[in-house]
Amino acid sequence: MSHDGLIQEIESWLIDRSLGEPDIEQLFEQLCARLAGIGVPLQRAALTWPTLHPLFQAEQIFWNPEEGAKLHQYSHANRQTEGWLRSPFYHVLTHGLNRLRRRLVGPDALLDFDVLHEFREQGYTDYLMTASSFRIAEVQQFEGRGTGIIGSWATKRETGFTRADIEALNRIQRSFAVACRVAIQQRVTVNLAHTYLGPTAGAKALAGEIRRGDGAKIRAVVYYVDLRGSTHLAESLEPDVYLTLLKTYFDCAAQPVIDEGGEILDYVGDAALAIFPIEGDIGGPEAARAALRAMEAALLRREAALAETPDLPLRFSISIAAGEVMFGNVGVPARLSFSVIGAVVNEVARMDDASKTLGRAVLVTKEIAAVEPDCWASLGPQALAGVPQPVELFIRRCERDAFSADYVRAAS
């Protein structure tokens, strides 16, 4: 029996969705439910597409009638795994196929991919893949063919898919690809904005706050981390060794900021500037506590890295202060950046300089130390270059963050 009339309704629904801002996970779940509703015997479906993301090379949604749709993300390391290279998805990509069908039972069964044996054991009888190519962002190709989407559809019906079922799935692919392209491009845009600008700045840019001077005064905990001896290291180490060191350093010192809800605004060489806004979900003293948790995690990660590689030249300092900052667009009209400016930003940078002579990797101001007063000891007012008045600085009562005596003498 033909599904023509009902497929037209689904196509019209997909066009309407593509004119809005579809969420691809919801879109796929609703499409599968609608296809099942018109009689296409779907018991399993998957949608796969390449993406632009520093952590993930592809995303995939799995659907079944019992559990609905679930999103999975695959790291760049998955790209060369044996399972991927022997998958029907890889075969479709590298051979530029738009369709692939495999009967899983009966005289016409063809199980030329390992995963098909698993599907047959799970009770599936028929398997179909449909693909549509379109450019995602500016990526020209993925695994040798144009980027786009690949759908897979499976049934447990004893006789498999009928001719009408196959025609319905083939026909729906074009309209579905249009809606997916809108959803994927939107998803990539948000991912890139959040990755390169941070969640808050990215959201502001996408909301239209893109003119030079757009911004507002906010109160924030400002977090500054800097790699020690970086000039010497850059000159003495091979470039690939130095880049590996930087990766380890940022994993130790910067990743905990993100984990605790902070936002990294800028990387200045081997230094990173971050904020924990005092307004919002981590408002008030909790912003300071979040920054201190990030600091503790950074030191723990450093210890773990040194336990594996004792000779790793991994010394960094962390300075934390709180105050009012201007958060917004700075730069020239053709090249803007979301950042923060203000006295407290200069203060944490000067605190970082002071850590070299004070011999402690972590320095905080009185306002930060006040949230955990038993954990901090005052060094008294300290003169900081470029800061009009001395600032009372505090160090941790334990000495896990102390620089070695040799390092302090060299810094002095």
Side-chain angles (χ1 to χ4, degrees):
M1 183 178 68
S2 173
H3 302 291
D4 284 355
L6 297 173
I7 284 294
Q8 287 179 358
E9 293 182 9
I10 295 179
E11 287 177 321
S12 178
W13 168 76
L14 285 169
I15 291 172
D16 289 341
R17 294 303 308 274
S18 66
L19 294 175
E21 296 181 353
D23 175 87
I24 195 165
E25 191 171 351
Q26 294 178 359
L27 180 72
F28 189 57
E29 182 170 31
Q30 292 170 7
L31 173 64
C32 291
R34 286 171 182 261
L35 288 170
I38 67 171
V40 178
L42 288 180
Q43 274 83 44
R44 182 189 187 277
L47 177 69
T48 306
W49 66 95
T51 189
L52 281 178
H53 194 286
L55 298 178
F56 309 114
Q57 57 106 1
E59 296 181 306
Q60 188 171 52
I61 303 172
F62 289 103
W63 174 88
N64 64 55
E66 294 76 27
E67 299 178 343
K70 293 184 178 180
L71 177 70
H72 296 260
Q73 296 172 305
Y74 298 96
S75 73
H76 294 280
N78 289 104
R79 192 164 180 169
Q80 297 302 322
T81 61
E82 188 67 19
W84 166 247
L85 297 176
R86 295 173 61 86
S87 71
F89 284 98
Y90 183 76
H91 181 80
V92 166
L93 277 171
T94 54
H95 289 80
L97 304 180
N98 293 325
R99 302 287 183 271
L100 180 146
R101 185 186 182 188
R102 294 291 187 265
R103 294 301 306 270
L104 306 182
V105 296
D108 297 326
L110 177 58
L111 308 179
D112 51 345
F113 300 100
D114 293 345
V115 72
L116 299 184
H117 292 272
E118 298 177 18
F119 289 161
R120 185 169 70 173
E121 291 174 2
Q122 294 166 11
Y124 295 103
T125 61
D126 208 345
Y127 180 81
L128 174 71
M129 299 187 75
T130 55
S132 292
S133 295
F134 54 80
R135 183 182 294 187
I136 295 176
E138 293 300 314
V139 178
Q140 297 283 352
Q141 288 191 331
F142 178 76
E143 299 290 6
R145 69 169 285 167
T147 57
I149 59 169
I150 299 177
S152 72
W153 321 90
T155 183
K156 292 182 177 180
R157 188 168 63 186
E158 185 176 353
T159 55
F161 291 121
T162 65
R163 182 188 297 272
D165 297 332
I166 299 293
E167 290 176 352
L169 292 170
N170 286 338
R171 178 173 164 181
I172 209 69
Q173 182 75 12
R174 184 178 178 86
S175 299
F176 182 47
V178 173
C180 283
R181 182 175 187 178
V182 173
I184 293 170
Q185 297 285 29
Q186 177 184 342
R187 188 176 179 87
V188 167
T189 298
V190 172
N191 283 341
L192 292 178
H194 286 187
T195 298
Y196 287 95
L197 298 178
T200 302
K204 288 180 178 292
L206 293 174
E209 295 184 32
I210 56 175
R211 297 176 303 171
R212 181 169 60 167
D214 280 346
K217 288 184 178 180
I218 65 170
R219 280 187 55 77
V221 171
V222 182
Y223 185 107
Y224 189 88
V225 58
D226 190 20
L227 180 66
R228 285 287 171 248
S230 57
T231 301
H232 170 71
L233 293 171
E235 293 174 349
S236 60
L237 298 178
E238 292 295 324
D240 58 334
V241 176
Y242 183 58
L243 289 175
T244 299
L245 171 64
L246 285 180
K247 179 181 180 298
T248 303
Y249 153 63
F250 282 123
D251 285 345
C252 291
Q255 183 61 46
V257 172
I258 298 172
D259 295 342
E260 291 295 340
E263 187 155 346
I264 296 175
L265 299 180
D266 204 1
Y267 293 101
V268 185
D270 51 71
L273 175 66
I275 60 170
F276 292 80
I278 289 178
E279 296 179 351
D281 294 339
I282 55 170
E286 182 53 26
R289 293 190 182 97
L292 292 177
R293 289 195 298 270
M295 175 271 297
E296 293 286 356
L299 295 180
L300 287 173
R301 287 185 176 215
R302 177 181 180 273
E303 289 181 359
L306 291 176
E308 292 186 5
T309 314
D311 295 331
L312 192 69
L314 186 60
R315 294 192 183 97
F316 55 80
S317 55
I318 299 173
S319 302
I320 309 173
E324 187 176 78
V325 296
M326 175 61 75
F327 178 51
N329 275 309
V330 295
V332 297
R335 180 61 177 89
L336 296 172
S337 173
F338 263 98
S339 191
V340 289
I341 56 175
V344 68
V345 179
N346 180 59
E347 188 175 293
V348 292
R350 300 310 178 189
M351 289 165 60
D352 177 73
D353 292 336
S355 71
K356 300 175 184 178
T357 54
L358 293 174
R360 296 297 288 265
V362 178
L363 295 175
V364 305
T365 59
K366 184 176 183 178
E367 186 173 356
I368 303 300
V371 301
E372 297 177 351
D374 294 338
C375 298
W376 299 89
S378 175
L379 293 177
Q382 302 290 318
L384 303 177
V387 178
Q389 300 295 326
V391 177
E392 186 177 7
L393 298 181
F394 288 74
I395 59 172
R396 300 160 79 246
R397 290 191 182 275
C398 65
E399 293 191 0
R400 278 176 50 213
D401 61 312
F403 288 128
S404 67
D406 290 342
Y407 174 80
V408 174
R409 283 195 295 270
S412 301

